[in-house]
Amino acid sequence: MRDFRLWWGLFVAFAVLSVLVVQRGYRRWLVARDVLDGADPVRRAEFARRLRREAWRLAWMIVSLVTMTALAFAAVVGAPPSIILGLRIAAVASVAAVLVLSLLR
Protein backbone atom coordinates (compact mmCIF):
# COMPACT_ATOMS: atom_id res chain seq x y z
CA MET A 1 0.00 0.00 0.00
CA ARG A 2 1.28 3.40 -0.88
CA ASP A 3 -1.24 5.40 1.16
CA PHE A 4 0.80 6.50 4.16
CA ARG A 5 -2.23 8.02 5.89
CA LEU A 6 -3.54 4.53 6.60
CA TRP A 7 -0.19 3.42 8.02
CA TRP A 8 0.13 6.63 10.02
CA GLY A 9 -3.37 6.12 11.45
CA LEU A 10 -2.54 2.54 12.41
CA PHE A 11 0.69 3.67 14.05
CA VAL A 12 -1.07 6.37 16.06
CA ALA A 13 -3.80 3.93 17.13
CA PHE A 14 -1.15 1.41 18.20
CA ALA A 15 0.79 4.08 20.09
CA VAL A 16 -2.30 5.28 21.97
CA LEU A 17 -3.31 1.74 22.92
CA SER A 18 0.24 0.94 24.01
CA VAL A 19 0.46 4.00 26.24
CA LEU A 20 -2.89 3.11 27.81
CA VAL A 21 -1.68 -0.44 28.50
CA VAL A 22 1.53 0.88 30.09
CA GLN A 23 -0.51 3.24 32.27
CA ARG A 24 -2.71 0.33 33.35
CA GLY A 25 0.39 -1.72 34.14
CA TYR A 26 1.79 1.11 36.23
CA ARG A 27 -1.46 1.35 38.16
CA ARG A 28 -1.34 -2.42 38.76
CA TRP A 29 2.19 -2.07 40.05
CA LEU A 30 1.13 0.73 42.43
CA VAL A 31 -1.70 -1.44 43.77
CA ALA A 32 0.69 -4.36 44.25
CA ARG A 33 3.11 -2.09 46.10
CA ASP A 34 0.34 -0.86 48.39
CA VAL A 35 -0.71 -4.44 49.10
CA LEU A 36 2.88 -5.29 50.02
CA ASP A 37 3.01 -2.41 52.50
CA GLY A 38 -0.13 -3.64 54.25
CA ALA A 39 0.56 -7.37 54.04
CA ASP A 40 1.09 -9.58 57.04
CA PRO A 41 4.63 -10.91 57.48
CA VAL A 42 3.62 -14.44 56.46
CA ARG A 43 2.50 -13.45 52.96
CA ARG A 44 4.99 -10.60 52.49
CA ALA A 45 7.48 -12.75 50.53
CA GLU A 46 4.78 -13.85 48.06
CA PHE A 47 3.62 -10.27 47.52
CA ALA A 48 7.23 -9.08 47.13
CA ARG A 49 7.79 -11.68 44.41
CA ARG A 50 4.63 -10.57 42.60
CA LEU A 51 5.69 -6.93 42.90
CA ARG A 52 9.08 -7.66 41.34
CA ARG A 53 7.46 -9.64 38.52
CA GLU A 54 4.98 -6.82 37.87
CA ALA A 55 7.82 -4.28 37.82
CA TRP A 56 9.76 -6.37 35.28
CA ARG A 57 6.64 -6.78 33.16
CA LEU A 58 6.08 -3.02 33.17
CA ALA A 59 9.72 -2.39 32.25
CA TRP A 60 9.51 -4.83 29.32
CA MET A 61 6.27 -3.17 28.17
CA ILE A 62 8.06 0.17 28.03
CA VAL A 63 11.03 -1.38 26.21
CA SER A 64 8.72 -2.96 23.64
CA LEU A 65 6.87 0.32 23.09
CA VAL A 66 10.08 2.28 22.58
CA THR A 67 11.57 -0.42 20.35
CA MET A 68 8.51 -0.66 18.10
CA THR A 69 8.32 3.12 17.83
CA ALA A 70 11.99 3.23 16.85
CA LEU A 71 11.36 0.45 14.34
CA ALA A 72 8.51 2.36 12.72
CA PHE A 73 10.56 5.53 12.40
CA ALA A 74 13.64 3.62 11.19
CA ALA A 75 11.57 2.02 8.44
CA VAL A 76 10.14 5.39 7.36
CA VAL A 77 13.52 7.12 7.40
CA GLY A 78 15.15 4.29 5.48
CA ALA A 79 17.61 2.97 8.03
CA PRO A 80 20.08 0.26 7.01
CA PRO A 81 18.73 -3.29 7.00
CA SER A 82 21.00 -4.31 9.90
CA ILE A 83 19.45 -1.69 12.19
CA ILE A 84 15.94 -2.69 11.17
CA LEU A 85 16.76 -6.35 11.78
CA GLY A 86 18.18 -5.56 15.21
CA LEU A 87 15.10 -3.56 16.13
CA ARG A 88 12.84 -6.37 14.91
CA ILE A 89 14.67 -8.92 17.06
CA ALA A 90 14.54 -6.58 20.08
CA ALA A 91 10.81 -5.96 19.54
CA VAL A 92 9.99 -9.67 19.33
CA ALA A 93 12.15 -10.45 22.37
CA SER A 94 10.57 -7.70 24.48
CA VAL A 95 7.02 -8.72 23.57
CA ALA A 96 7.90 -12.35 24.33
CA ALA A 97 9.23 -11.28 27.74
CA VAL A 98 5.96 -9.44 28.47
CA LEU A 99 3.95 -12.51 27.45
CA VAL A 100 6.04 -14.88 29.59
CA LEU A 101 5.80 -12.60 32.62
CA SER A 102 2.04 -12.23 32.05
CA LEU A 103 1.50 -15.99 32.00
CA LEU A 104 3.43 -16.66 35.22
CA ARG A 105 1.41 -16.87 38.38
Side-chain angles (χ1 to χ4, degrees), residues 7-19:
W7 291 109
W8 181 251
L10 288 173
F11 175 74
V12 169
F14 168 77
V16 168
L17 289 174
S18 297
V19 168

Side-chain angles (χ1 to χ4, degrees), residues 33-53:
R33 190 182 64 176
D34 291 341
V35 168
L36 179 64
D37 290 340
D40 57 346
V42 175
R43 299 188 69 194
R44 185 175 284 276
E46 177 187 346
F47 287 132
R49 185 177 55 85
R50 285 185 181 180
L51 182 64
R52 279 192 306 274
R53 185 176 62 232

Side-chain angles (χ1 to χ4, degrees), residues 44-76:
R44 185 175 284 276
E46 177 187 346
F47 287 132
R49 185 177 55 85
R50 285 185 181 180
L51 182 64
R52 279 192 306 274
R53 185 176 62 232
E54 197 63 34
W56 277 109
R57 193 169 82 88
L58 181 62
W60 280 111
M61 281 178 165
I62 293 169
V63 168
S64 68
L65 176 63
V66 169
T67 303
M68 286 188 259
T69 303
L71 179 60
F73 282 110
V76 169

Side-chain angles (χ1 to χ4, degrees), residues 71-94:
L71 179 60
F73 282 110
V76 169
V77 171
S82 59
I83 292 176
I84 291 178
L85 178 63
L87 286 171
R88 281 181 180 175
I89 291 169
V92 169
S94 60

